[in-house]
Amino acid sequence: MFDEVIEVINSCSTFLITSHARPDGDALGSELAIYHMLRDMGKDVVVYNQDKTPAVYEFLPGSKDMIHFLDSVDGFEAVFVLDCSDIERVGDEKDKIGSIEKIINIDHHASVGTFSEILLVDSTASSTGEIIHRLMKNMGVTITEDIATNIYTAIMTDTGSFRYSNTGIDTFRAVADLVEKGADSRQIAKNIYETKPAVQIRLMGKALDTLEFYEGGRVGSIYVTQKMLQNEGALSEHTEGFVDIVRSIDGIEIAIFYYESSKDLFKISLRSKETVDVEKIAGKLGGGGHVNASACRVEGSLKAVKEKVLGAIRTVCNTL
Ligand code: 5GP
Ligand code: MN
């Protein structure tokens, strides 16, 4: 698995790195870890994301170097597509990115896309960051403080600060190594969880006013519309983590967060606490993800979208 990736790293000198639209901590930390590693090796590297970096992640070393406009991909010998089960998820530039000769896909999703021949995929890994840490150990490269900070952030955010079931013994071994290499666990947690703007908490209050329960309290949902964002002066990135508030309620097995991204288009985040496979539910609606965390996009009015999602839940979980 590692050999093919290492061969491309050693034989090429110009790289593009990208990940999914609306990047999260795992996407950004993974991209920037690879960015620093390749730069330390003397390579030419560009990191492109369709969407700008959410403010809470701007502390990540290298984040200012990212670009959000891709002119031409001529000259890139290889591209790293990270934390992305499907090339569609990189956004509008998927065709350009897909045309680069060597595509390396490093990911921890169960459903793996067919867009790349060079795969480093482990669906049991907590995060793409954890796989990248393994790759670096395998290569014997120096894990600098900048790399350690990025990978630690990737792992911490994708494991919900080491609370989710994807957190294994290997995860703790990896983060112990990263702290040893200079990742400041307290400072990173503070940057991510304790720097929210007040508008985000106000928006959270409005979102919580929409709380609804179904299936005897085992399913719960909240929503945010564009109007609610405007009223509070908040941004879409401020909704990160809202679905987890619903999951934190006693008795909830499935948490749903409906986010109106534009008129009659909703991004739906699904979370489960125990055994319900929300990837199957998201899959029925054209999305995907992991057993306990998935997402999809559904068109229609809020009422129609709610009915579709609840219908998919009832089909997949006939014993809820
Ligand atoms: P979130 O709700 O945090 O945006 O996404 C939860 C998980 O669902 C992500 O870790 C990712 O694996 C997956 N996911 C998010 N959006 C999409 C999507 O549009 N398509 C697919 N296949 N998976 C998604
Ligand atoms: Mn991830």
Short mmCIF file of all heavy atoms in Angstrom, two decimals, residues 1-2 5 26 30 34 82-83 105-109 119-138 151 154-155 170 174:
data_model
loop_
_atom_site.label_atom_id
_atom_site.label_comp_id
_atom_site.label_asym_id
_atom_site.label_seq_id
_atom_site.Cartn_x
_atom_site.Cartn_y
_atom_site.Cartn_z
N MET A 1 0.84 -1.22 0.00
CA MET A 1 0.00 0.00 0.00
C MET A 1 0.87 1.26 0.00
O MET A 1 0.68 2.15 -0.82
CB MET A 1 -0.89 0.03 1.23
CG MET A 1 -2.16 -0.74 1.08
SD MET A 1 -3.63 0.21 1.55
CE MET A 1 -3.46 0.30 3.33
N PHE A 2 1.84 1.30 0.95
CA PHE A 2 2.65 2.51 1.05
C PHE A 2 3.62 2.65 -0.13
O PHE A 2 3.91 3.75 -0.55
CB PHE A 2 3.47 2.49 2.35
CG PHE A 2 2.62 2.56 3.59
CD1 PHE A 2 2.57 1.51 4.48
CD2 PHE A 2 1.87 3.70 3.86
CE1 PHE A 2 1.79 1.58 5.62
CE2 PHE A 2 1.08 3.78 5.00
CZ PHE A 2 1.05 2.71 5.88
N VAL A 5 2.69 4.77 -3.17
CA VAL A 5 2.60 6.19 -2.83
C VAL A 5 4.00 6.78 -2.67
O VAL A 5 4.31 7.85 -3.20
CB VAL A 5 1.78 6.39 -1.52
CG1 VAL A 5 1.71 7.86 -1.15
CG2 VAL A 5 0.39 5.81 -1.68
N ASP A 26 -10.02 17.32 9.53
CA ASP A 26 -9.26 16.20 8.97
C ASP A 26 -8.77 16.55 7.56
O ASP A 26 -7.62 16.27 7.21
CB ASP A 26 -10.14 14.94 8.94
CG ASP A 26 -9.34 13.67 8.63
OD1 ASP A 26 -8.12 13.65 8.87
OD2 ASP A 26 -9.95 12.71 8.14
N SER A 30 -4.78 17.16 7.17
CA SER A 30 -4.13 16.16 6.30
C SER A 30 -3.43 16.84 5.13
O SER A 30 -2.29 16.52 4.80
CB SER A 30 -5.18 15.17 5.76
OG SER A 30 -5.73 14.43 6.83
N ILE A 34 0.81 16.90 4.55
CA ILE A 34 1.47 16.45 3.31
C ILE A 34 2.23 17.62 2.68
O ILE A 34 3.34 17.48 2.18
CB ILE A 34 0.44 15.87 2.31
CG1 ILE A 34 -0.20 14.58 2.87
CG2 ILE A 34 1.07 15.59 0.96
CD1 ILE A 34 0.60 13.33 2.68
N LEU A 82 -7.38 14.01 -0.73
CA LEU A 82 -7.40 13.49 0.64
C LEU A 82 -8.79 13.53 1.28
O LEU A 82 -9.55 14.48 1.06
CB LEU A 82 -6.43 14.31 1.51
CG LEU A 82 -4.99 14.39 0.98
CD1 LEU A 82 -4.16 15.33 1.83
CD2 LEU A 82 -4.36 13.00 0.93
N ASP A 83 -9.11 12.50 2.06
CA ASP A 83 -10.36 12.47 2.84
C ASP A 83 -11.59 12.58 1.94
O ASP A 83 -12.60 13.14 2.35
CB ASP A 83 -10.33 13.62 3.88
CG ASP A 83 -11.31 13.39 5.02
OD1 ASP A 83 -11.41 12.25 5.50
OD2 ASP A 83 -11.99 14.35 5.42
N ASN A 105 -5.08 8.77 -3.68
CA ASN A 105 -6.24 8.94 -2.82
C ASN A 105 -5.94 8.36 -1.44
O ASN A 105 -5.76 7.15 -1.31
CB ASN A 105 -7.44 8.25 -3.49
CG ASN A 105 -8.69 8.24 -2.64
OD1 ASN A 105 -8.77 8.92 -1.63
ND2 ASN A 105 -9.67 7.45 -3.05
N ILE A 106 -5.85 9.22 -0.44
CA ILE A 106 -5.66 8.74 0.94
C ILE A 106 -6.93 9.05 1.70
O ILE A 106 -7.38 10.20 1.76
CB ILE A 106 -4.44 9.42 1.62
CG1 ILE A 106 -3.19 9.24 0.75
CG2 ILE A 106 -4.23 8.84 3.02
CD1 ILE A 106 -1.92 9.86 1.35
N ASP A 107 -7.53 8.00 2.29
CA ASP A 107 -8.88 8.18 2.83
C ASP A 107 -9.21 7.10 3.85
O ASP A 107 -8.59 6.03 3.89
CB ASP A 107 -9.88 8.12 1.66
CG ASP A 107 -11.27 8.54 2.09
OD1 ASP A 107 -11.40 9.22 3.11
OD2 ASP A 107 -12.23 8.18 1.39
N HIS A 108 -10.23 7.36 4.65
CA HIS A 108 -10.68 6.37 5.63
C HIS A 108 -12.18 6.10 5.50
O HIS A 108 -12.82 5.71 6.48
CB HIS A 108 -10.33 6.81 7.06
CG HIS A 108 -11.04 8.03 7.51
ND1 HIS A 108 -11.77 8.08 8.67
CD2 HIS A 108 -11.15 9.25 6.95
CE1 HIS A 108 -12.28 9.30 8.80
NE2 HIS A 108 -11.91 10.02 7.77
N HIS A 109 -12.72 6.35 4.30
CA HIS A 109 -14.14 6.04 4.09
C HIS A 109 -14.31 4.57 3.69
O HIS A 109 -13.42 3.99 3.07
CB HIS A 109 -14.73 6.92 2.99
CG HIS A 109 -14.88 8.34 3.44
ND1 HIS A 109 -13.93 9.29 3.20
CD2 HIS A 109 -15.87 8.94 4.13
CE1 HIS A 109 -14.32 10.43 3.73
NE2 HIS A 109 -15.49 10.26 4.31
N LEU A 119 -4.06 4.01 -4.19
CA LEU A 119 -4.96 4.14 -3.04
C LEU A 119 -4.24 3.84 -1.74
O LEU A 119 -3.48 2.88 -1.65
CB LEU A 119 -6.08 3.11 -3.16
CG LEU A 119 -7.15 3.30 -4.22
CD1 LEU A 119 -8.02 2.06 -4.30
CD2 LEU A 119 -7.99 4.52 -3.89
N LEU A 120 -4.52 4.67 -0.75
CA LEU A 120 -4.07 4.36 0.60
C LEU A 120 -5.33 4.55 1.45
O LEU A 120 -5.63 5.65 1.90
CB LEU A 120 -2.96 5.34 1.00
CG LEU A 120 -2.11 4.99 2.20
CD1 LEU A 120 -1.55 3.59 2.11
CD2 LEU A 120 -0.96 5.98 2.31
N VAL A 121 -6.09 3.46 1.58
CA VAL A 121 -7.39 3.57 2.22
C VAL A 121 -7.50 2.55 3.35
O VAL A 121 -7.14 1.38 3.18
CB VAL A 121 -8.53 3.33 1.20
CG1 VAL A 121 -9.88 3.32 1.90
CG2 VAL A 121 -8.51 4.41 0.13
N ASP A 122 -7.94 3.02 4.51
CA ASP A 122 -8.18 2.11 5.63
C ASP A 122 -9.43 2.61 6.35
O ASP A 122 -9.39 3.62 7.06
CB ASP A 122 -6.97 2.12 6.57
CG ASP A 122 -7.20 1.24 7.79
OD1 ASP A 122 -8.29 0.62 7.90
OD2 ASP A 122 -6.30 1.18 8.64
N SER A 123 -10.53 1.87 6.15
CA SER A 123 -11.79 2.33 6.73
C SER A 123 -11.82 2.15 8.24
O SER A 123 -12.73 2.65 8.90
CB SER A 123 -12.98 1.62 6.07
OG SER A 123 -12.90 0.25 6.38
N THR A 124 -10.84 1.45 8.80
CA THR A 124 -10.81 1.30 10.26
C THR A 124 -10.00 2.43 10.91
O THR A 124 -10.00 2.56 12.13
CB THR A 124 -10.20 -0.06 10.69
OG1 THR A 124 -8.80 -0.05 10.37
CG2 THR A 124 -10.87 -1.23 9.99
N ALA A 125 -9.31 3.22 10.11
CA ALA A 125 -8.52 4.33 10.69
C ALA A 125 -9.46 5.43 11.15
O ALA A 125 -10.50 5.67 10.55
CB ALA A 125 -7.54 4.87 9.65
N SER A 126 -9.07 6.12 12.21
CA SER A 126 -9.93 7.17 12.77
C SER A 126 -10.13 8.31 11.80
O SER A 126 -11.16 8.97 11.80
CB SER A 126 -9.29 7.73 14.03
OG SER A 126 -8.07 8.39 13.70
N SER A 127 -9.12 8.54 10.97
CA SER A 127 -9.08 9.77 10.18
C SER A 127 -8.06 9.60 9.07
O SER A 127 -7.20 8.72 9.14
CB SER A 127 -8.65 10.92 11.08
OG SER A 127 -7.43 10.55 11.73
N THR A 128 -8.15 10.48 8.09
CA THR A 128 -7.12 10.49 7.05
C THR A 128 -5.78 10.87 7.69
O THR A 128 -4.73 10.34 7.33
CB THR A 128 -7.52 11.47 5.93
OG1 THR A 128 -8.79 11.03 5.42
CG2 THR A 128 -6.51 11.49 4.81
N GLY A 129 -5.83 11.77 8.66
CA GLY A 129 -4.61 12.19 9.35
C GLY A 129 -3.85 11.02 9.97
O GLY A 129 -2.62 10.96 9.90
N GLU A 130 -4.59 10.07 10.55
CA GLU A 130 -3.92 8.92 11.16
C GLU A 130 -3.20 8.08 10.11
O GLU A 130 -2.10 7.58 10.35
CB GLU A 130 -4.95 8.06 11.94
CG GLU A 130 -4.30 6.98 12.78
CD GLU A 130 -5.29 6.12 13.57
OE1 GLU A 130 -6.31 6.66 14.06
OE2 GLU A 130 -5.05 4.91 13.68
N ILE A 131 -3.80 7.95 8.93
CA ILE A 131 -3.16 7.17 7.85
C ILE A 131 -1.90 7.91 7.37
O ILE A 131 -0.87 7.29 7.10
CB ILE A 131 -4.14 6.94 6.67
CG1 ILE A 131 -5.41 6.25 7.16
CG2 ILE A 131 -3.47 6.14 5.56
CD1 ILE A 131 -6.50 6.11 6.10
N ILE A 132 -1.98 9.23 7.31
CA ILE A 132 -0.83 10.02 6.87
C ILE A 132 0.32 9.91 7.88
O ILE A 132 1.48 9.81 7.51
CB ILE A 132 -1.25 11.49 6.63
CG1 ILE A 132 -2.09 11.53 5.34
CG2 ILE A 132 -0.05 12.42 6.55
CD1 ILE A 132 -2.76 12.84 5.06
N HIS A 133 -0.03 9.86 9.15
CA HIS A 133 1.00 9.66 10.18
C HIS A 133 1.71 8.33 9.95
O HIS A 133 2.94 8.24 9.98
CB HIS A 133 0.37 9.71 11.58
CG HIS A 133 1.35 9.45 12.68
ND1 HIS A 133 1.44 8.25 13.34
CD2 HIS A 133 2.33 10.25 13.22
CE1 HIS A 133 2.41 8.32 14.25
NE2 HIS A 133 2.96 9.53 14.19
N ARG A 134 0.91 7.30 9.65
CA ARG A 134 1.47 5.97 9.38
C ARG A 134 2.39 6.01 8.16
O ARG A 134 3.46 5.42 8.16
CB ARG A 134 0.31 5.01 9.07
CG ARG A 134 0.18 3.89 10.09
CD ARG A 134 -0.94 2.96 9.64
NE ARG A 134 -2.19 3.25 10.30
CZ ARG A 134 -3.38 2.84 9.87
NH1 ARG A 134 -3.49 2.14 8.75
NH2 ARG A 134 -4.47 3.11 10.54
N LEU A 135 1.94 6.72 7.12
CA LEU A 135 2.74 6.85 5.89
C LEU A 135 4.09 7.51 6.21
O LEU A 135 5.15 7.04 5.78
CB LEU A 135 1.98 7.69 4.85
CG LEU A 135 2.76 8.12 3.61
CD1 LEU A 135 3.07 6.91 2.71
CD2 LEU A 135 2.00 9.18 2.80
N MET A 136 4.04 8.55 7.00
CA MET A 136 5.28 9.28 7.32
C MET A 136 6.24 8.42 8.15
O MET A 136 7.44 8.47 7.97
CB MET A 136 4.95 10.58 8.05
CG MET A 136 4.30 11.60 7.12
SD MET A 136 4.14 13.19 7.91
CE MET A 136 3.24 14.09 6.65
N LYS A 137 5.67 7.64 9.08
CA LYS A 137 6.51 6.74 9.88
C LYS A 137 7.17 5.73 8.97
O LYS A 137 8.35 5.40 9.11
CB LYS A 137 5.67 6.00 10.93
CG LYS A 137 5.12 6.87 12.02
CD LYS A 137 6.17 7.66 12.70
CE LYS A 137 6.48 7.28 14.11
NZ LYS A 137 7.42 8.27 14.72
N ASN A 138 6.37 5.24 8.00
CA ASN A 138 6.88 4.26 7.05
C ASN A 138 8.00 4.83 6.19
O ASN A 138 8.97 4.15 5.86
CB ASN A 138 5.70 3.85 6.16
CG ASN A 138 5.80 2.43 5.74
OD1 ASN A 138 6.51 2.13 4.79
ND2 ASN A 138 5.13 1.53 6.46
N ILE A 151 -1.42 17.12 11.87
CA ILE A 151 -1.99 15.76 11.98
C ILE A 151 -2.77 15.60 13.28
O ILE A 151 -3.84 14.99 13.31
CB ILE A 151 -0.90 14.66 11.87
CG1 ILE A 151 -0.11 14.80 10.56
CG2 ILE A 151 -1.56 13.26 11.93
CD1 ILE A 151 0.92 13.69 10.33
N ALA A 154 -6.14 16.99 12.74
CA ALA A 154 -6.95 16.10 11.88
C ALA A 154 -7.55 14.97 12.72
O ALA A 154 -8.75 14.69 12.64
CB ALA A 154 -6.07 15.52 10.76
N ILE A 155 -6.72 14.35 13.54
CA ILE A 155 -7.18 13.20 14.34
C ILE A 155 -8.14 13.66 15.43
O ILE A 155 -9.21 13.08 15.63
CB ILE A 155 -5.99 12.42 14.95
CG1 ILE A 155 -5.08 11.88 13.83
CG2 ILE A 155 -6.50 11.28 15.84
CD1 ILE A 155 -3.81 11.17 14.34
N ASP A 170 -4.30 2.45 18.17
CA ASP A 170 -3.35 3.06 17.22
C ASP A 170 -3.51 4.58 17.18
O ASP A 170 -2.54 5.30 16.94
CB ASP A 170 -3.58 2.53 15.79
CG ASP A 170 -3.16 1.07 15.69
OD1 ASP A 170 -2.41 0.61 16.57
OD2 ASP A 170 -3.60 0.41 14.74
N ALA A 174 -0.57 7.16 17.91
CA ALA A 174 -0.21 8.20 16.94
C ALA A 174 -0.18 9.57 17.63
O ALA A 174 0.78 10.32 17.46
CB ALA A 174 -1.21 8.21 15.78
#
